[in-house]
Amino acid sequence: EERGLCWERVTANLTQVCIWQMDTSSAWVSWPAGVVNFHGAYQYWQWYITGGKAGIKPTGDMARLFELWDKLQVTTDEKERECIAREMTDLHAKNIWIIGTVGEAIQPVVVKNDFRNVPEELISTNSAQTPGNAQTAQFFIKQK
């Protein structure tokens, strides 16, 4: 389905299922896609961003997910943030709002021996703009 048509249907609440890319950090970086899966809950998202003036007020676990998101944004204690994130993840597992198809696939990268300063390991994600998160400005070719 073409992206424009997909979004037209999502915002008109005409989708029951939508396929979208998510990467390892999407859930916490790309609000709300990974957090509330607004492809299947766009009316809840509308309610949230309009302060209740549009959309549908979430209830139950979906309402709790929004509460946790708000709390996560202002919590500075690392342990508490981990607990909040865990509860959000548990709600997703319980409700199966998102069905993952492929996760954390290893992506080997071949680097020539004289090409240096390349990290041994790196999380490859669209939201981190890989390979930019590898500090590519620090790469260099060792002169012989």
Side-chain angles (χ1 to χ4, degrees):
E1 181 173 64
E2 189 271 330
R3 179 178 250 178
L5 179 58
C6 174
W7 281 108
E8 183 178 322
R9 289 178 175 167
V10 165
T11 58
N13 203 32
L14 296 174
T15 56
Q16 292 180 334
V17 170
C18 189
I19 297 171
W20 204 255
Q21 171 272 337
M22 281 184 63
D23 57 36
T24 41
S25 60
S26 288
W28 316 117
V29 176
S30 303
W31 166 264
V35 181
V36 297
N37 184 23
F38 69 101
H39 306 298
Y42 190 78
Q43 294 298 311
Y44 298 141
W45 168 239
Q46 284 296 106
W47 178 87
Y48 180 80
I49 64 170
T50 64
K53 294 182 177 111
I56 299 170
K57 181 178 181 177
T59 60
D61 286 346
M62 183 61 72
R64 179 67 180 150
L65 201 58
F66 280 98
E67 291 169 13
L68 291 167
W69 174 257
D70 286 340
K71 192 174 179 182
L72 187 68
Q73 301 311 300
V74 297
T75 302
T76 57
D77 179 78
E78 191 63 33
K79 293 274 188 215
E80 188 176 352
R81 288 180 59 80
E82 288 175 18
C83 288
I84 294 168
R86 174 58 50 208
E87 185 177 346
M88 293 172 81
T89 303
D90 289 347
L91 285 172
H92 273 280
K94 173 185 170 189
N95 290 282
I96 314 174
W97 291 312
I98 297 173
I99 300 172
T101 56
V102 178
E104 298 184 20
I106 295 175
Q107 299 173 334
V109 176
V110 178
V111 179
K112 194 172 178 181
N113 289 340
D114 64 347
F115 195 71
R116 300 296 179 88
N117 224 25
V118 179
E120 287 290 321
E121 293 184 8
L122 183 69
I123 295 175
S124 178
T125 70
N126 186 46
S127 55
Q129 299 181 344
T130 302
N133 61 330
Q135 305 301 322
T136 56
Q138 302 301 315
F139 291 178
F140 67 94
I141 296 172
K142 184 177 179 183
Q143 300 296 317
K144 293 184 180 191

